[in-house]
Every structure is written in C-alpha cells, then in structure tokens.
Amino acid sequence: MTAPDPEFIRRRTTEAVLADGTRVLLRPLVPEDGPKMLEAFDRLSPESRYRRFMSPVDELSPEMVRKLTDLDYVDHFAWAALAVDEPGRPGIGVARYVRAEDDPQVAEAAVTVIDEYQGRGLGSLLLQALGASALEHGITRFRGYVLEDNRAMRDILEELGGTAHHDGAGIVRVEVELPIADELRSSPAYRALRALARGEGPRLLRWGALWEHPG
C-alpha cells in the first residue's frame, strides 16, 4: 500500500454545505481512514449494510478494510465525507469506483451514507464528485448494482440519467453516462466539482445553493 502525496489530498479537500446547512468535509479516502471506516460501518443499520454488500455482513475484516482503503486514485478512487460538526470528524459517507478490467471506459461505482445522514443530498454530492474524478481518468460510464427494493438509491441513479436493467433475482444493474445529469453539465456545481477533481482546491462548495437534489 503506497501512501498518497499529501499535496494531492490537500488540493482535493473542500468543505461542502448541504441544502439543510449540514457541513461536511469532502476529500479522497486515504489508507489511514481504516478506523473511521470501521466506526462508520458500526453506525450503519443492518438494512443499510445489506443494501451495500447485498448480503448479511456483521463486521468488516482487516482484509476487507485493506482492500477498501488501498487506492491508486486512477483505476480505484474513493471520496470520503466527514462530519465537520461532530467530535473527531467521523466518516459519514463514501463513494468509490473501480475500473472494469474488460472495458477501461467503464467503472463499477458504489455510494454509502450512514443512516442519520441519508436524505440530505450527501449521496448525490458524493456521486457527482466521483463522476468528476472518473472523467479525469478516461471513464465515461458508471455501472452500479443495487437491490431491486432499494428504491432510494435507484431513484438517485435514475434521476441522474441512469438506465436500469434486471441482472438477476432481486438485483438491478444501473448504467449512468458521465457527466452525470444533463442539467449539471454547465452549472456552477459541476464546474466546482471538476475543479476539485483536478486538484484546483481547496474551496467552499455550497451544494444546496448550487444544485438542489432530493437524494
């Protein structure tokens, strides 16, 4: 595991204010975030854990944590969201992509937000930031797998232009072309996220004021 350049992380770190005033710190995930990831996992409800991993998972093993935090920031990238106003700035959300081996322009993407922060737009912010980073590395389409009854995540993906396909019993595959959401392509929000992905930060991102979304 190679530690990322601190300057790389600093220039991609920003504070975002959600529509309801919630302040989050958005930055690339780093190997040292393993403990924060374990703490965030403990704050996920059993239902949220099942929807993320599509199977019952009671704990993250050291090997799982290692794989989730061992990033090269090109083929495997992840954004972390930290709660600015909570003691210790705990992790409250993660969005990651992993480039497909059979098609370098496609990546499998996933977003996880702990339960008490769901419904505030954080999932949409993480997904948009992930899309901006993916474009910087030649990825033009996200592929995500969600449970058929995960209506909240399906709504976010489909409202952002995703198309859904049944991929097996109870599982839906969603394909999303990048950049995400036609209305965002020329907006201040999209330009800010692209600048952040390129390392032109830090900057303050008022997400709710730039582009409101119910996700």
Side-chain angles (χ1 to χ4, degrees):
M1 183 183 298
T2 302
D5 179 2
E7 184 65 10
F8 174 91
I9 301 299
R10 188 192 72 81
R11 295 182 63 83
R12 289 164 178 80
T13 298
T14 192
E15 184 177 311
V17 182
L18 305 182
D20 67 351
T22 299
R23 296 193 303 158
V24 300
L25 190 72
L26 186 67
R27 63 160 171 75
L29 191 74
V30 295
E32 293 78 15
D33 284 329
K36 287 184 180 291
M37 183 170 290
L38 290 172
E39 292 170 2
F41 181 84
D42 287 341
R43 294 174 68 176
L44 285 173
S45 67
E47 181 180 5
S48 291
R49 295 178 188 179
Y50 188 83
R51 287 179 171 177
R52 169 61 181 89
F53 296 98
M54 296 191 219
S55 64
V57 177
D58 294 327
E59 63 179 6
L60 296 179
S61 69
E63 178 64 13
M64 292 173 70
V65 173
R66 186 194 68 78
K67 288 183 177 179
L68 291 171
T69 56
D70 187 7
L71 313 175
D72 61 14
Y73 304 99
V74 176
D75 296 326
H76 184 187
F77 193 104
W79 285 100
L82 312 180
V84 171
D85 295 318
E86 286 194 43
R89 292 189 172 183
I92 56 174
V94 173
R96 76 176 62 248
Y97 74 70
V98 179
R99 194 189 303 266
E101 294 183 359
D102 60 339
D103 188 339
Q105 292 186 312
V106 176
E108 186 170 336
V111 179
T112 304
V113 175
I114 66 171
D115 292 66
E116 60 257 52
Y117 283 88
Q118 293 175 11
R120 304 190 194 187
L122 179 56
S124 296
L125 170 60
L126 284 165
L127 186 61
Q128 296 287 359
L130 192 69
S133 296
L135 283 169
E136 291 303 302
H137 296 106
I139 294 167
T140 61
R141 187 165 80 253
F142 277 161
R143 179 180 296 149
Y145 295 88
V146 298
L147 294 173
E148 190 170 19
D149 64 356
N150 190 349
R151 192 69 255 175
M153 183 55 66
R154 287 181 60 187
D155 285 347
I156 289 176
L157 293 169
E158 291 172 12
E159 288 171 14
L160 295 176
T163 56
H165 312 272
H166 286 277
D167 198 65
I171 297 176
V172 174
R173 184 182 80 252
V174 182
E175 305 273 351
V176 180
E177 297 293 331
L178 302 177
I180 302 170
D182 287 341
E183 66 268 29
L184 197 63
R185 293 172 192 261
S186 60
S187 71
Y190 184 67
R191 290 196 297 272
L193 288 173
R194 287 299 297 271
L196 187 65
R198 291 170 180 154
E200 299 173 8
R203 60 180 64 205
L204 176 65
L205 177 62
R206 295 192 178 279
W207 184 245
L210 291 173
W211 188 61
E212 294 190 11
H213 190 278

